[in-house]
């Protein structure tokens, strides 16, 4: 997606968009067979993959702190994978609950977008990245009822408001992600999207879709610690990259 602005490289652009589409399809398949609380935290690995991409595509250096952050991300997700077994959940929720969630996320996103217009550099990229991640998280949650309708018929999907909500939030999130990336701070953009996305989707999964992790309680605690470590590692990577003061041509 960092090639979105490269107007003279149409083959590379189409390849990037194709890979992005494949990624969305694979994510949808994973969500159809698993829980948000398990699938979405794995997206934090995006910031790890951003390091070699940033090195080769935008000329950013990879320093020791970023390598340490990557190890922390992988270790945290490994811990979560071992202890974070899903125990319950549903694929849809009452429309009123969805409406409240959408209004809250919309209000917070609107505020952050206003803040982005008043910020510069890294902060602006971070604001856009946070809003993008939040909308991607909302879109991921709406994938669940959309797929449930698809299992019935295509007609049910086309008459389902969740499908259009999923598409709209996903498209807006994608556009805002490109705006964030276009500011030239790859690690910050990727980190904010990758961390905010699972936070929002897992929160909505717990509050709206009644998703829970399996007990005993100490399993849940260790799993949460694992996710927290992974997200902390993502923040370390972002901070290490931007502290170098280097910009790339995203």
């Amino acid at each position: 997606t960092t090639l979105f602005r490269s107007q003279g490289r149409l083959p590379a652009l189409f390849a990037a968009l194709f890979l992005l589409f494949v990624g969305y399809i694979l994510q949808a398949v994973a969500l159809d067979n698993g829980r948000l609380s398990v699938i979405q935290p794995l997206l934090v690995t995006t910031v790890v993959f951003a390091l070699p991409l940033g090195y080769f595509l935008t000329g950013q250096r990879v320093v020791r702190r970023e390598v340490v952050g990557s190890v922390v991300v992988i270790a945290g997700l490994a811990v979560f994978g071992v202890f974070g077994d899903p125990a319950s959940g549903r694929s849809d929720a009452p429309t009123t609950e969805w409406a409240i969630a959408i209004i809250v996320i919309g209000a917070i996103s609107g505020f952050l977008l206003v803040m982005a217009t008043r910020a510069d550099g890294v902060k602006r990229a971070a604001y856009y990245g946070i809003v993008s991640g939040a909308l991607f998280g909302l879109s991921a949650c709406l994938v669940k009822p959309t797929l449930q309708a698809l299992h019935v018929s295509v007609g049910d999907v086309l008459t389902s408001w969740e499908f259009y909500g999923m598409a709209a939030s996903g498209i807006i999130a994608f556009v805002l992600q490109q705006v964030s990336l276009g500011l030239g701070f790859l690690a910050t953009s990727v980190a904010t999207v990758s961390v905010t996305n699972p936070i929002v989707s897992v929160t909505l999964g717990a509050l709206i879709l009644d998703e829970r992790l399996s007990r005993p309680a100490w399993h849940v605690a260790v799993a949460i610690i694992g996710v927290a470590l992974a997200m902390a590692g993502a923040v370390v990577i972002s901070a290490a990259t931007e502290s170098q003061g280097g910009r790339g041509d995203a």
Side-chain angles (χ1 to χ4, degrees):
T1 59
T2 58
L3 299 174
F4 191 74
R5 297 172 61 218
S6 303
Q7 299 178 1
R9 304 183 195 174
L10 287 181
L13 171 61
F14 290 139
L17 292 176
F18 172 76
L19 291 174
L20 185 66
F21 176 76
V22 171
Y24 288 151
I25 295 298
L26 293 176
Q27 182 186 10
V29 172
L31 290 172
D32 191 31
N33 293 277
R35 299 294 183 189
L36 285 161
S37 57
V38 175
I39 303 301
Q40 292 301 103
L42 300 179
L43 298 178
V44 180
T45 56
T46 305
V47 74
V48 177
F49 291 109
L51 292 179
L53 290 176
Y55 177 81
F56 289 110
L57 298 180
T58 68
Q60 295 182 4
R61 295 173 53 209
V62 177
V63 298
R64 181 178 300 177
R65 285 177 60 190
E66 293 171 316
V67 175
V68 171
S70 299
V71 173
V72 172
V73 169
I74 295 171
L77 291 178
V79 170
F80 178 79
V82 173
F83 294 96
D85 296 324
S88 62
R90 55 185 178 178
S91 297
D92 204 353
T95 302
T96 53
E97 295 184 14
W98 284 116
I100 293 173
I102 292 172
I103 291 173
V104 171
I105 292 175
I108 295 174
S109 297
F111 172 76
L112 292 176
L113 289 176
V114 171
M115 294 296 292
T117 62
R118 301 176 180 177
D120 295 313
V122 177
K123 289 185 178 180
R124 175 175 287 188
Y127 282 132
Y128 282 123
I130 291 171
V131 176
S132 175
L135 294 178
F136 271 132
L138 174 62
S139 180
C141 291
L142 291 171
V143 166
K144 301 288 285 185
T146 299
L147 291 174
Q148 184 182 43
L150 182 61
H151 287 310
V152 178
S153 69
V154 175
D156 277 32
V157 173
L158 297 178
T159 57
S160 168
W161 72 264
E162 290 93 343
F163 168 70
Y164 298 101
M166 176 197 71
S169 57
I171 291 172
I172 296 173
F174 173 76
V175 172
L176 292 176
Q177 184 183 40
Q178 301 313 309
V179 173
S180 179
L181 289 168
L183 294 173
F185 299 93
L186 179 63
T188 295
S189 300
V190 173
T192 50
V193 173
S194 301
V195 171
T196 308
N197 184 340
I199 288 176
V200 170
S201 55
V202 170
T203 300
L204 292 179
L207 296 178
I208 296 180
L209 300 179
D210 294 331
E211 291 196 357
R212 300 291 185 272
L213 295 178
S214 64
R215 298 184 180 277
W218 72 271
H219 273 211
V220 177
V222 172
I224 292 174
I225 291 173
V227 173
L229 283 174
M231 293 183 179
V235 173
V236 168
I237 293 172
S238 176
T241 299
E242 304 309 343
S243 66
Q244 299 177 57
R247 286 172 59 98
D249 297 321

